[in-house]
Amino acid sequence: MTAMQKLYLLVPLAPLAGAIIAGLFGKAIGRRATHTVTILGMVVCLIASFLVYRDVMGGNIFNGPVYTWLVSGNIRFEIGFLIDPLSATMMMVVSFVSLMVHIYTIGYMADDPGYQRFFSYISLFTFSMLMLVMSNNFLQLFFGWEAVGLVSYLLIGFWYTRPTAIYANLKAFLVNRVGDFGFLLGIALVLMYFGTLDYAAVFAGAGRLAGNSIELFPGVSWSLMTVICILLFIGAMGKSAQFPLHVWLPDSMEGPTPISALIHAATMVTAGIFMVARMSPLFELSETALSFVLVIGAITAFFMALIATVQYDIKRVVAYSTLSQLGYMTMALGASAYSAAIFHLFTHAFFKAVLFLGAGSVIIAMHHQQDMRKMGGLAKYMPITYMTVLIGALANAGLPPFAGFFSKETIVEALHHATVPGAGFAYALAVAGVFVGGFYSFRLVFYAFHGKERFADAHHPDVKAADAEAKAAAHQDDHAHDDHAHGHDHHAPHESPAVVWVPLVLLAIPSVCAGWLIGSFVYGNYFGSSITVHPSHTAMATLAQAFHGVIGMMTHALGTLPFWLAVAGAGTAWFLYILRPELPAKLRHRWGVVVTILMEKYGLDRFNDWFFAGGARALGTGLWKGGDIAVIDNVMVNGSARLVGWFASVVRQLQSGYIYHYAFAMIIGVLLLLTLAYSG
Amino acid sequence: MMHELPLLSLAIWAPIIAGVAVLFTGGDRSAQAARVIALIGAVIGFLVTIPLYTGFDAQAGGFQFVHRVPWIESFNVWYHLGIDGISLLLILLNSLTTVLVVIAGWQVIQQRVAQYMAAFLVLSGLMNGVFSALDAMLFYVFFEATLIPMFIIIGVWGGPRRVYAAMKFFLYTLLGSLLSLVALIYLYNAAGGSFAFADFYQVPLPLVIQVIVFIAFFMAFAVKVPMWPVHTWLPDAHVEAPTGGSVVLAAIMLKLGGYGFLRLSLPIVPDASLYLAPVVIGLSLIAVVYIGLVALVQTDMKKLIAYSSISHMGFVTLGIFIFNAQGVEGAVIQMISHGFISGAMFLCVGVLYDRMHTRQIADYGGVANRMPVFAAFFMLFAMANAGLPGTSGFVGEFLVILGAMKVNFWYAFAAAITLIFGAAYTLWMYKRVMFGAVANDHVAELQDINARECLVLGVLAVLVLAMGVWPQPFAEVLHVSVNELLAHVSLSKLPVQ
């Protein structure tokens, strides 16, 4: 094993070791030792990731096995690593954001009795995510895929006494399982046709099988690649929360805030995006699958952004914003703009982590109040948090020169040039979504940090919420308040401690300038062989020709629609929440139906509860009472009920309780039968 | 292969002799002696199986550790033992489970301790007999004899409806297996007066006869697995059985059915097996989907796990009857894994039952607040039951789904539904029992697991994780055996016209 290979192993194993120590011995070694050990593990992981990254960018790509998991028939299932620019980039993002979140957690979870357990979980999560991105085969990908689902389940339900939390985590796991169901079938199809689960071998053979078709229903023939890609993408829809499997993500806000930043913004939800980019050699062979990806992404990007505009819970605004941004990434994948999708994933990881951790900082200051109606005017009390959140919002809205601008702008432009069916639809929604994105980002900033200070009333339950909008969203109330441990006192809010704001600042820096890497990241040959684009998909090539540096891109944007729409969105937020703060309530009243539809999240949750959860229970009860008990037991089994009764009455007399009686009867029975068979 | 010690005979008779010895300790006044002797017997029974694994030649075909002496010479019945990779794993699982069950019953059982321990030891020996018998009559005797101790375990140490449940269990399985005896006697004649499996494997049989023999075997084994629709004895038996009984029933006894298919049905009547495979596959998929839904709505934890067992065993029969390497190896691995996981799940319910004396999900809530260590174990086993990768529960199901895909997309589709249902019923139960605020005063008084319980669950936890992370040591002993079996099935035994 070379030194580099040892480093590869060190990257996932350092967090794993931290997780095991914190999980098994956390109580014994205490809080301080627990966070020291896990953070040390993360520092080692980040340094190793950085060394690996530098090595890979120097041209040293690695693809090899670690150990043989199982051999079945003539198929070898291996655990192994593929270290190329794509995975190395993901490793950097995951380990960096995770380290920041580890540090931040010291402050955020300081009073929580489950401190050690929490550190164990987040380190375990980091391990799972790293195994996922470093994998060189579908099996390990699926391992990591499900493992992040598990840790997400544990973390959403971290406060396991809260009914909403344990509802949300079960929901998240099950919805993800629906995606995994498709994903697993896709993997099984890959194995069947390629005879291996190794990426390199599968990608090499993809062209050969591109013309194959498969008959799932007699007489209906589909392209094999389309079926495989759509099944795999169903997995991505679960993990990356794409419509209609997005429903778990907003509820996952029940988990502690550091988790929202780590899992539900920067890493786990990006697994689906990463996976599709990784599978680009397969997706490029199916226009239908790309078109499907594109349309799903477009629906998610626009319609989820709309929901963000009516939320009051600060974390939920950010959560819906994540859904929308994931939609943009998915659209980029559908338009074959894989590098743009990963670039947006990269920039988004920073600014979304900033927004979540900033929201968390606000939540700490507000004594675990998450309702923006009870905030306002926080900017002067928490200047650092305010500045970082503002940077996050600017990036999220896609305004230059912040990171989000470059990636989002590239995606919108790529959609403009894309030729896959559905590209026009996606482009229209993407452009419209830019306005909505500008609006909700700044609605958050203005609502929470500017305007009237509304938090004075927050701690008096007898005083009616000052905001007239309260009624409109009454059912949303008390939905997601982190209400543990903290006493409610009445001091003015103040800036969070250094362990909280230092990670914020460290994440805010790349939120400003990560976008400036676009030249090499998207238009250079950054990803090399890790991403494949079919020659007929020319959108990115066209953009590359038009690209004239970072400054050029910004000046060009000043003359385009998306830029002005983002500005208009921000301006509208300013108008509604600073200039005319009485207007939103009126608008809500006037547009009651629309607001209700958005507050109800298009009714999907209700439908799922009624149709899937209720339906499964009704069906289960029917099969149990009707099938098992009524038909099988009462008719078939106890249809000889009298026989059983009779038999029981006879045997009851024989039931002496002595083993040798039974044994004796048994042997006599055997001999009798033998005799019968022989005499006959 | 020659060995100094007749290891297989030891694996069978050591526990049985220990069981008899335990009986001689007498009444409950000497209960502690009974426990100690039982533990020693169970540990010896397990230790003698370890050389079977270390001495097993994974590359060699056929049966190993063969031991053959005449038994009933007038009928040409032989005491003929031998194992292949499939039986090896099941014997190891059985012997280990016996040790765990003895430890688990240490304090819980206070009445008729000697008889309780003896029943499990005898049962363990008998089941090792089933897994190593190479003579059909010997097989049948062991197979049927296992009913007696289990019948007693349920009937004596069971819950309030134990007599009904024991009776149902006994009748179902006995009636099921009677037909198979007739089939064995027919085969004895057809093979020219031999009960040797090896001779049965060579007998040419016309398809009609094969189908009849297949159905006769099927009755015996399908009831044991149990397959839909002959499964309704299992939930009752589990609910009434004491914890140890449930563990052995789920972990080992159900495997007699799967093992029977592999050892008898497939090689003896291969053409009928292929001919009727779609029916068996259909029933297996019904088990996975239908039973998964039924499990979802159960209110009794043991019943829920019993139904979950049936659903998981559906993967065993599915894997066997898709006739490819992934399917059959997946089926065997699923049997072993299910032994660990269902055993562990029943032990977990036992831990709660011993404290609360109720199995109703509604009587619980917030147990994790009081029993954090237990909650961690239970979580691991629940996730394994839901087939999470990294646990043993994933390996078998994954392989069977891959194998099923090769045969038919929709087989794989229906089987993969377990990904959703398995998670739904297991985690929903976990949520209602373990999560939430402390539900009532009884829960508030709960004590976390003690060292003894921790040991039993810990051993299973290590096995579940080890098999999930690195299943190769379990799988490598299977390859040659499975390949030989599949090769055999692919050769028609129809008589040449």
Side-chain angles (χ1 to χ4, degrees), chain B residues 276-322:
Chain B
L276 292 172
V279 178
V280 185
I281 291 172
L283 295 177
S284 308
L285 293 174
I286 290 176
V288 172
V289 178
Y290 169 120
I291 298 295
L293 282 168
V294 172
L296 191 65
V297 295
Q298 297 305 311
T299 54
D300 178 312
M301 283 191 274
K302 261 192 155 179
K303 229 171 195 170
L304 192 150
I305 299 168
Y307 275 109
S308 144
S309 260
I310 303 170
S311 177
H312 284 107
M313 289 302 286
F315 273 90
V316 174
T317 45
L318 172 65
I320 292 173
F321 281 87
I322 52 181

Side-chain angles (χ1 to χ4, degrees), chain B residues 131-465:
Chain B
F131 294 135
S132 51
L134 294 180
D135 180 284
M137 193 42 62
L138 187 64
F139 175 89
Y140 185 77
V141 170
F142 279 131
F143 189 85
E144 291 296 295
T146 56
L147 286 183
I148 301 166
M150 185 49 82
F151 178 75
I152 294 172
I153 289 166
I154 299 174
V156 176
W157 292 275
R161 294 177 71 226
R162 58 180 180 268
V163 175
Y164 170 77
M167 224 52 229
K168 197 170 175 182
F169 159 75
F170 196 87
L171 287 178
Y172 242 117
T173 49
L174 185 72
L175 293 177
S177 52
L178 280 178
L179 276 176
S180 73
L181 179 63
V182 180
L184 289 178
I185 292 167
Y186 175 86
L187 287 166
Y188 171 79
N189 285 328
S194 164
F195 276 115
F197 283 157
D199 293 327
F200 284 6
Y201 293 172
Q202 306 304 327
V203 187
L205 294 168
L207 187 60
V208 180
I209 300 292
Q210 284 202 29
V211 167
I212 294 172
V213 171
F214 182 90
I215 290 172
F217 286 155
F218 186 76
M219 295 295 280
F221 303 140
V223 166
K224 267 282 190 323
V225 167
M227 294 181 72
W228 187 88
V230 287
H231 64 281
T232 58
W233 63 272
L234 187 75
D236 284 316
H238 270 308
V239 166
E240 297 306 324
T243 301
S246 287
V247 172
V248 171
L249 187 59
I252 322 293
M253 230 172 173
L254 305 187
K255 276 68 190 185
L256 298 181
Y259 181 76
F261 283 126
L262 289 169
R263 184 65 73 231
L264 276 75
S265 302
L266 259 56
I268 295 176
V269 286
D271 303 285
S273 300
L274 286 168
Y275 181 70
L276 292 172
V279 178
V280 185
I281 291 172
L283 295 177
S284 308
L285 293 174
I286 290 176
V288 172
V289 178
Y290 169 120
I291 298 295
L293 282 168
V294 172
L296 191 65
V297 295
Q298 297 305 311
T299 54
D300 178 312
M301 283 191 274
K302 261 192 155 179
K303 229 171 195 170
L304 192 150
I305 299 168
Y307 275 109
S308 144
S309 260
I310 303 170
S311 177
H312 284 107
M313 289 302 286
F315 273 90
V316 174
T317 45
L318 172 65
I320 292 173
F321 281 87
I322 52 181
F323 303 112
N324 57 37
Q326 280 78 49
V328 177
E329 287 177 14
V332 178
I333 289 175
Q334 173 79 348
M335 284 202 268
I336 305 301
S337 154
H338 178 260
F340 299 148
I341 298 168
S342 65
M345 290 294 278
F346 280 117
L347 283 167
C348 285
V349 175
V351 163
L352 291 175
Y353 184 81
D354 293 341
R355 288 161 172 74
M356 299 269 289
H357 301 288
T358 170
R359 293 179 311 263
Q360 293 300 315
I361 294 172
D363 293 336
Y364 291 86
V367 174
N369 294 294
R370 289 288 171 270
M371 305 177 71
V373 178
F374 172 71
F377 276 119
F378 199 13
M379 180 87 261
L380 171 69
F381 297 129
M383 279 297 170
N385 201 44
L388 190 83
T391 67
S392 64
F394 169 71
V395 188
E397 292 179 12
F398 179 63
L399 286 177
V400 172
I401 290 171
L402 294 181
M405 182 62 94
K406 289 185 175 175
V407 182
N408 185 320
F409 177 85
W410 295 107
Y411 291 170
F413 183 90
I417 288 178
T418 196
L419 226 59
I420 304 166
F421 287 178
Y425 59 70
T426 313
L427 297 182
W428 192 32
M429 174 187 79
Y430 191 90
K431 167 182 180 259
R432 287 175 291 167
V433 172
M434 303 301 291
F435 288 151
V438 172
N440 54 48
D441 294 347
H442 300 295
V443 173
E445 288 161 12
L446 283 175
Q447 297 288 314
D448 210 338
I449 50 176
N450 59 32
R452 186 180 47 81
E453 292 163 326
C454 199
L455 171 73
V456 175
L457 295 178
V459 168
L460 288 169
V462 168
L463 286 167
V464 163
L465 284 173

Side-chain angles (χ1 to χ4, degrees), chain A residues 424-501:
Chain A
F425 169 76
Y427 177 66
L429 286 185
V431 171
V434 171
F435 171 81
V436 186
F439 175 73
Y440 69 67
S441 303
F442 282 88
R443 174 175 175 265
L444 183 151
V445 171
F446 294 141
Y447 215 170
F449 290 94
H450 293 268
K452 200 173 139 228
E453 295 173 12
R454 296 177 297 270
F455 43 80
D457 306 326
H459 304 308
H460 297 288
D462 47 314
V463 177
K464 280 193 182 149
D467 201 312
E469 297 177 38
K471 264 188 193 164
H475 66 280
Q476 190 83 6
D477 249 348
D478 300 322
H479 208 56
H481 304 310
D482 291 6
D483 52 6
H484 68 111
H486 277 272
H488 283 193
D489 42 28
H490 292 261
H491 300 301
H494 55 81
E495 187 56 85
S496 298
V499 284
V500 170
W501 67 254

